[in-house]
Amino acid sequence: MTPRRILVRRWGQLLLGLFFYGNAVALLIQADVGLDPWTVFAQGLEVQTGLSIGVIVVLIGAGVLLLWIPIRQKPGIGTVLNVLLIGPVIDLTMLVVTTPDQLWAQWLMFAAGLALLAVATGLYIGARFGPGPRDGLMTGAHARFGWKIWKVRTVVEVTVLTIGWVLGGTVGFGTVAFALLIGPMVGFTLPRLRVPEPSGLTDPEPSAAPDEPGTAPA
């Protein structure tokens, strides 16, 4: 594959992945059986402020990105587009997707959202245009201070989950299912969707582990 075709594929994957990511988060929200920590946090803020959850997701992403400054982490174009695009897509998708009446249908929607999220994560991270804001924060803290990534992730996500739940975000069995399943699912999609590098060239932008668990992209 020529460098030009690889670049076209990278941009296509990035934009498609972010679009699918927003769709997936909206499905998880409307399934109403439990969310990942960052979306619980965003939903809790939505309840308290009256702003749309998409706007909240953008504001959270921008706030997390500001925390990159003291740890000297440099965002890629994919990082910036992650912050700007996912929230509006969530809001648009939620205009046409509603919570099903039957519990089995809610879980079916949750499963569809989770599967789409795994594909979306593989697409946008596989495009190699930079990590999402939350993962960049954790990998940057590891590089700057030597803190173990899993410890930083655990502390941050337990904190945002607790705050989001107190504020009115949805915590349920879906939260547990998300935590258990998203890692293996992204582990399957990411290596299969990673765009190859042109022969003899280095990766111009760092890649990183997925934002989820702890999505959203939120």
Side-chain angles (χ1 to χ4, degrees):
M1 188 178 291
T2 65
R4 177 174 292 182
R5 292 183 66 181
I6 288 178
L7 184 61
V8 170
R9 177 180 165 183
R10 289 177 68 199
W11 274 103
Q13 278 202 199
L14 174 65
L15 297 176
L16 187 63
L18 294 176
F19 178 73
F20 282 169
Y21 201 101
N23 294 156
V25 173
L27 290 175
L28 294 175
I29 293 169
Q30 296 295 61
D32 198 31
V33 294
L35 298 165
D36 65 274
W38 282 100
T39 309
V40 171
F41 182 52
Q43 193 179 54
L45 290 175
E46 177 195 25
V47 170
Q48 297 301 318
T49 65
L51 297 173
S52 74
I53 194 163
V55 171
I56 295 293
V57 166
V58 172
L59 294 176
I60 290 174
V64 172
L65 205 55
L66 290 177
L67 296 177
W68 284 32
I69 297 173
I71 59 175
R72 302 173 186 173
Q73 186 81 335
K74 181 181 178 182
I77 185 62
T79 309
V80 176
L81 292 178
N82 180 301
V83 172
L84 296 177
L85 297 183
I86 290 177
V89 174
I90 292 173
D91 278 347
L92 290 173
T93 305
M94 290 182 65
L95 291 176
V96 297
V97 177
T98 59
T99 301
D101 295 327
Q102 297 82 15
L103 183 60
W104 66 265
Q106 290 176 252
W107 277 105
L108 186 62
M109 180 180 286
F110 179 87
L114 191 62
L116 184 59
L117 189 71
V119 172
T121 302
L123 284 170
Y124 94 78
I125 292 181
R128 300 186 288 108
F129 277 117
R134 284 153 291 279
D135 276 330
L137 176 65
M138 294 170 193
T139 55
H142 169 71
R144 184 78 171 86
F145 305 112
W147 299 339
K148 293 184 181 298
I149 292 178
W150 72 267
K151 289 184 178 180
V152 177
R153 180 181 289 276
T154 300
V155 170
V156 170
E157 292 186 353
V158 168
T159 300
V160 298
L161 177 65
T162 302
I163 294 173
W165 176 66
V166 170
L167 293 177
T170 303
V171 176
F173 288 112
T175 306
V176 178
F178 187 99
L180 293 176
L181 296 175
I182 192 61
M185 291 173 72
V186 172
F188 178 82
T189 61
L190 183 54
R192 289 164 175 79
L193 294 173
R194 181 174 173 82
V195 180
E197 300 176 34
S199 178
L201 297 181
T202 57
D203 189 348
E205 295 288 355
S207 62
D211 257 344
E212 310 321 357
T215 145

